[in-house]
């Protein structure tokens, strides 16, 4: 029977051999059955070019295997050895300002460097030949966090690689000029070798250049991954993964990465000082599941504090368990931590671990052991799906495009809006998927587009078809404005959504910092959903950040601005198109000032069922045969209307389920 895999990054090279034996004993005590090994050991296993020292790694691999602990074997290429930098200074990373970055850390290499790539292929080949058929090696952990600190490199080699990438993409430089709109400021190119890498420059750099640079940079990392994966595949049948950083690495377009890996794995760390960090965790997990298209694994999270935030807040009692089980609820089939044993030396010694500096007579160790036990009871969820009737649109390219320079307002932030909409749905106990705007959306009753500034023609058609065929769509302001090259769609805004939304925009009216607007139901507005029995945004709604002059062309106003530059004009509209409905919010609504109400109305209109009576602060997710209830509040609660058996305690509940403060209850049908 399959179980949820449990473990973490294991760095035995930092410890004497006596500790390794203690480690495997403790791993077994905690139920650890998979460890990531050798993620950063290049400088140890290849002390000089072409010279290899396998003494320790051979022994550790044998020891783990002997104790039944599976190995997720790392390729150590995110921390190139000092000898390689010394022999080939040209591999060093050059940042946006043109500074060449020094060594003494990891990741400081140019992703496009042929010298670096060749050295990677060589060490990976050695590892794959030596361990590829070892029965203990169950998974390959290729590299570590592609794009962590070297998403983009601005060296000469990168610039040349960019020109080659452009030539490959556009074939003819006139096609590039057309796509990039280089007639503007006469920034036309006569040959590909005239295009420079967009490092620090005077303001107003062509946004299309910046967007293709970001695509190029992402592709360079994918190429590096493929190189290693293909070397490994020659010698090993074990699947390969690389750890993503969803959603906190803006530079990697993980929709493009998804098809490259055998298993999607993700690293997620709480942004500890955020009060709503458990919601951000859920969002990360839901987005990772969407990228994976099914179950996935968390490759790294922390048992308690990290060491790299301004204030590294420790987890509160029970939080480790709540966080871990939230990942499982949202599709994780593997639960790994960074790292097994807290380091004594180096940059990460103040990072929590499964075995803390304080040893095993600690709350933290007891929590780690208890979690290992809990996971064994959850085998029935392995491989199962998480059902969702609602999708939130997410597109890394739209994120990149929105946050380039010279937008109508600096307050237009991709994650600000996505997180606002996501949090409102989370609090209404609605489990969502994420989806790319060009993806098949027909399985969803409701699709929400909180920040879709850039939409391709294909996405525009897709969203229109979705609504016409009976879908319900909620769109927030400044969406559908440009195409994938940051060129405004022809005609009035929002060109990609004009027909779908049944309106056009005469002028944008961004607000001053801190300015708020009153919104009132349209005097003629009817009841928008039977459940509420009244018009939407009837009372107390307010807008922030944005206002605009909306002109109706098929849609009707549900609510209107009552103050500000667009007083009296539509603020919330509804367009019934074909068999579906498209809603549009022309300003930034927040939970208590209209967003909850708008989404509740749209959910009702779309017929999305929500569990009734779940108290606030309780996260509710259905996965496979199990219902997860995670109480993030400090109040004991009772959830009415649920029945089932608690998987962890065996207690049967007939009508209602008590969930003590900070606890997790998992029911099976
Ligand atoms: C990750 C990284 C790990 C470790 C961890 C600390 O970004 O992959 O190696 O540094 O952060 O939180």
């Amino acid at each position: 029977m399959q179980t949820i895999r449990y473990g973490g990054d294991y760095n035995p090279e930092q410890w004497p051999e006596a500790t390794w034996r203690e480690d495997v004993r403790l791993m077994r005590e905690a139920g650890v059955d998979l460890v990531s090994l050798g993620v950063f050991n290049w400088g140890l296993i290849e002390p000089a070019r072409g010279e290899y020292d396998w003494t320790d790694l051979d022994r550790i691999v044998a020891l783990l295997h002997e104790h039944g602990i599976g190995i997720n074997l790392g390729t150590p290429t995110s921390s190139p050895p000092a000898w390689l930098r010394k022999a080939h200074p040209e591999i060093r990373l050059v940042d946006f300002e043109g500074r060449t970055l020094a060594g003494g850390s990891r990741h400081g290499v140019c992703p496009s460097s042929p010298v670096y790539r060749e050295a990677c292929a060589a060490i990976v080949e050695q590892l794959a030949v030596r361990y590829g058929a070892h029965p203990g090696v169950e998974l390959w952990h290729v590299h570590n966090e592609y794009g962590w600190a070297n998403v983009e490199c601005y060296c000469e080699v990168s610039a040349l690689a960019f020109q080659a990438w452009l030539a490959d993409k556009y074939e003819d430089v006139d096609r590039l000029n057309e796509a990039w709109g280089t007639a503007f400021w006469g920034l036309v190119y006569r040959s590909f070798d005239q295009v420079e890498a967009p490092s620090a420059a005077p303001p107003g750099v062509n946004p299309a250049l910046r967007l293709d640079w970001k695509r190029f940079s992402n592709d360079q990392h994918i190429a590096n991954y493929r190189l290693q994966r293909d070397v490994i595949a020659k010698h090993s049948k074990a699947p390969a993964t690389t750890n993503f950083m969803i959603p906190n690495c803006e530079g990697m377009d993980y929709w493009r990465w998804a098809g490259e890996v055998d298993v999607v794995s993700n690293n997620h760390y709480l942004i500890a000082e955020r009060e709503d960090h458990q919601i951000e965790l859920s969002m990360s997990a839901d987005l990772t599941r969407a990228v994976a298209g099914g179950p996935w694994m968390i490759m790294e999270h922390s048992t308690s504090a990290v060491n790299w935030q301004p204030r590294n807040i420790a987890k509160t009692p029970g939080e480790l368990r709540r966080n871990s089980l939230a990942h499982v609820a949202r599709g994780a089939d593997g639960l790994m931590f960074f790292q097994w044993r807290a380091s004594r030396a180096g940059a990460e010694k103040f990072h929590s671990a499964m075995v803390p500096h304080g040893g095993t007579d600690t709350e933290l160790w007891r929590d780690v052991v208890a979690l290992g036990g809990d996971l064994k009871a959850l085998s029935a969820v392995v491989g199962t799906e998480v059902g969702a009737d609602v999708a939130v649109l997410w597109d890394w390219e739209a994120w990149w495009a929105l946050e380039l320079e010279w937008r109508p307002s600096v307050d237009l932030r991709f994650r600000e809006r996505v997180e606002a909409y996501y949090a409102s749905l989370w609090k209404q106990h609605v489990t969502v998927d994420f989806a790319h705007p060009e993806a098949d959306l027909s399985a969803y009753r409701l699709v929400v587009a909180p920040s879709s500034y850039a939409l391709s023609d294909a996405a525009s058609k897709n969203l229109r078809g979705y609504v016409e065929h009976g879908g319900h769509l909620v769109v927030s302001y400044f969406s559908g404005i440009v195409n994938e090259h940051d060129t405004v769609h022809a005609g009035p805004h929002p060109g990609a959504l004009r027909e779908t939304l049944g309106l056009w925009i005469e002028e944008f009216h961004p607000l001053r910092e801190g300015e708020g607007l009153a919104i009132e139901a349209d005097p003629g507005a009817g009841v928008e959903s039977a459940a509420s029995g009244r018009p939407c945004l009837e009372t107390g709604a307010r807008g922030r950040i944005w206002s605009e002059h909306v002109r109706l062309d098929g849609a009707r106003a549900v609510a209107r601005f009552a103050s500000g530059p667009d007083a009296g004009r539509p603020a919330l509209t509804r367009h019934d198109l074909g068999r579906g409905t498209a809603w549009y919010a022309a300003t930034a609504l927040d939970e208590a000032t209209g967003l909850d109400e708008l989404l509740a109305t749209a959910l009702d209109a779309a017929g999305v069922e929500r569990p009734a009576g779940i108290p606030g602060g309780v996260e509710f997710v259905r996965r496979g045969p199990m219902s997860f209830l995670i109480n993030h509040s400090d109040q004991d609660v009772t959830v009415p209307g649920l029945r089932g058996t608690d998987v962890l305690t065996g207690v049967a509940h007939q009508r209602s389920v008590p969930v003590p403060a900070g606890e997790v209850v998992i029911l099976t049908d």
Side-chain angles (χ1 to χ4, degrees), residues 152 165 169-170 180 207-219 222 247 249-257 287 291 393-405 407 412-415 418 435-438 451-459 478-487 489:
E152 295 166 352
W165 184 91
K169 176 168 178 175
Y170 293 102
W180 288 10
L209 160 62
R210 286 216 187 284
L211 283 176
D212 265 343
W213 172 259
K214 284 177 183 288
R215 295 186 182 106
F216 154 78
S217 299
N218 181 56
D219 280 1
I222 292 181
C249 180
E250 184 184 337
M252 296 289 103
D253 179 350
Y254 290 114
W255 293 128
R256 290 187 180 272
W257 278 86
L287 183 55
V291 165
L393 296 188
W394 179 286
D395 181 9
W396 273 273
E397 294 201 356
W399 182 358
W400 299 342
L402 180 66
E403 299 188 9
L404 292 175
E405 61 188 331
R407 298 313 184 211
L412 293 164
R413 310 296 295 175
F414 176 80
R415 281 191 57 175
V418 175
H436 188 276
E438 291 177 22
S451 186
S452 293
Y453 162 63
L455 283 177
S456 65
D457 289 342
F478 209 55
S479 289
I481 306 295
V482 297
N483 70 9
E484 64 276 26
H485 296 296
D486 204 46
T487 295
H489 285 286

Side-chain angles (χ1 to χ4, degrees), residues 40 106 144-145 148 267 269 300 306 308 338 348 351:
F40 300 106
R106 56 185 176 183
N144 189 65
E145 295 187 333
W148 177 72
N267 293 355
Y269 292 95
E300 293 179 21
V306 299
W308 43 264
F338 178 85
E348 299 190 313
H351 196 291

